[in-house]
Amino acid sequence: MNRTTLGKAALRTTAALAAAVFTTVWPTFTADALAQAAPAPASGQQVVLVTGATSGLGRELALRLGARGDHVIVHGRNVERGAEVVDAINAVGPGNARFYRADFASLAEVRTFAETLLADYDRLDILINNAGFGSAPDERWVTEDGHEYRFQVNYLSTFLLTHMLMPRLLDSTPSRIVNVSSGAQTPIDFDDVMIENNFSGRRAYAQSKLAQIMFTHDLADDLAGTGIVVGSLHPATYMPTEMVRRLGATPRATIAEGADAVMQVVDSDDFESGQYFSGLNPTRANDQAYDPQARARLKRLSQALTGIRCRGGRCRLVDDASG
């Protein structure tokens, strides 16, 4: 079953779009709640972006980062849940937070999101690419950009956002990029990347997660010597998240365990840039992640689909993604 742009319209209502694609700092939706001011990061305060931060693992990471004093950029699609996370961080301190809305099923929204952050922030110390969609339901959906849904939401949008925010990461060195991937990894069939044949949700999810790991290795190579460290990981198996509940799987690990693993990659200086972890332990990913020809094909494809053009390690967004 294909889901087109019209099929996704129910997830992005006219009211939400009219309210603005990106929203910074909303009050919680209770009668007694007071609207909180949109705090800017203080001088010397670490700035961290967590994508997919309104529930599950991303929410836990945002709360931990705020509790240790960071300024947290909370990203998600749900305004009310985003406001709740921001209010929780701002109320407790010592860190603070802002919320920005963007749907990763729209490359246009991702571009606007990145442009807004570049205008609002003069530094970005840590980028945690956590947003994603799981293997259930077992249906083939297509985004408004014409791409297989999981490949875009889990990988292409991360590729685009990371490259667009690279100037701020370079301005803030030493800085870090953490790609939250998965132990589920399936090699990419470059003759059918959008899985028009023999589709399964598990295959689509696993392909997108391997693409994230391949991207991590490429970034590590491209950014060598710049002061930006990159890592990817499978945080934990079947945490009690919305993704796992949709799948109908029995949780085997806690969200806290997954957050511990992510925070290790965020903070540790004891690993080589590009390393992949399973939980707390460095390990080897699928063999395709170490194939330079496969990674080069994926990079060329990703640049063509997102409009990112790179030369000599410098990347820019061009207007015509097909050119």
Side-chain angles (χ1 to χ4, degrees):
M1 174 180 178
N2 291 343
R3 180 168 292 189
T4 62
T5 302
L6 292 176
K8 294 299 293 176
L11 296 178
R12 295 182 294 119
T13 64
T14 301
L17 292 173
V21 172
F22 302 98
T23 308
T24 57
V25 188
W26 285 62
T28 50
F29 290 78
T30 59
D32 297 330
L34 297 176
Q36 297 193 10
S43 177
Q45 186 179 20
Q46 188 163 252
V47 177
V48 185
L49 167 58
V50 183
T51 67
T54 59
S55 64
L57 178 62
R59 181 182 187 278
E60 174 66 17
L61 291 169
L63 294 175
R64 288 193 185 193
L65 292 160
R68 75 179 193 177
D70 293 346
H71 175 87
V72 186
I73 303 169
V74 175
H75 158 265
R77 289 187 307 165
N78 187 294
V79 173
E80 184 171 358
R81 291 193 307 192
E84 185 275 327
V85 176
V86 165
D87 284 351
I89 293 171
N90 290 342
V92 175
N96 47 33
R98 289 173 172 170
F99 172 70
Y100 290 75
R101 183 190 179 280
D103 187 345
F104 277 21
S106 167
L107 294 179
E109 290 197 18
V110 175
R111 293 184 189 104
T112 304
F113 178 35
E115 289 165 355
T116 303
L117 293 184
L118 290 171
D120 288 354
Y121 292 89
D122 60 7
R123 69 177 300 110
L124 178 61
D125 298 273
I126 301 170
L127 169 59
I128 303 178
N129 289 312
N130 169 73
F133 192 86
S135 58
D138 191 16
E139 301 172 0
R140 186 178 184 274
W141 298 346
V142 177
T143 68
E144 65 180 38
D145 300 285
H147 309 316
E148 192 279 316
Y149 186 82
R150 292 163 181 85
F151 189 72
Q152 177 167 326
V153 170
N154 297 353
Y155 168 65
L156 281 179
S157 289
T158 291
F159 178 93
L160 174 60
L161 179 67
T162 301
H163 280 300
M164 289 190 68
L165 295 180
M166 195 63 69
R168 290 296 173 272
L169 290 159
L170 288 167
D171 289 344
S172 309
T173 54
S175 51
R176 191 155 300 203
I177 301 168
V178 179
N179 292 325
V180 179
S181 183
S182 172
Q185 300 160 29
T186 295
I188 299 168
D189 178 358
F190 286 99
D191 292 326
D192 188 17
V193 175
M194 301 304 168
I195 318 183
E196 296 182 77
N197 303 302
N198 301 315
F199 178 86
S200 77
R202 290 179 182 272
R203 178 185 171 196
Y205 175 77
Q207 172 184 267
S208 70
K209 289 299 178 178
L210 178 57
Q212 287 182 314
I213 299 169
M214 296 166 75
F215 177 44
T216 302
H217 286 299
D218 279 337
L219 282 175
D221 290 345
D222 293 343
L223 297 171
T226 65
I228 300 179
V229 173
V230 191
S232 63
L233 78 156
H234 164 68
T237 300
Y238 289 165
M239 296 172 288
T241 63
E242 183 177 340
M243 185 183 297
V244 171
R245 284 191 289 272
R246 265 198 313 270
L247 184 61
T250 301
R252 301 180 190 173
T254 66
I255 290 175
E257 289 175 300
D260 288 344
V262 176
M263 292 304 296
Q264 174 181 261
V265 183
V266 167
D267 291 332
S268 176
D269 293 323
D270 294 330
F271 70 92
E272 183 177 352
S273 188
Q275 178 67 58
Y276 168 71
F277 290 80
S278 180
L280 297 170
N281 302 311
T283 190
R284 183 176 174 85
N286 183 278
D287 287 347
Q288 194 179 56
Y290 307 95
D291 181 344
Q293 292 184 333
R295 295 212 314 263
R297 290 187 71 177
L298 178 62
K299 181 186 287 190
R300 289 193 298 270
L301 174 66
S302 305
Q303 291 176 358
L305 295 179
T306 61
I308 291 292
R309 297 291 181 270
C310 299
R311 178 177 297 176
R314 299 283 182 176
C315 298
R316 65 186 178 91
L317 178 68
V318 297
D319 292 333
D320 183 7
S322 64

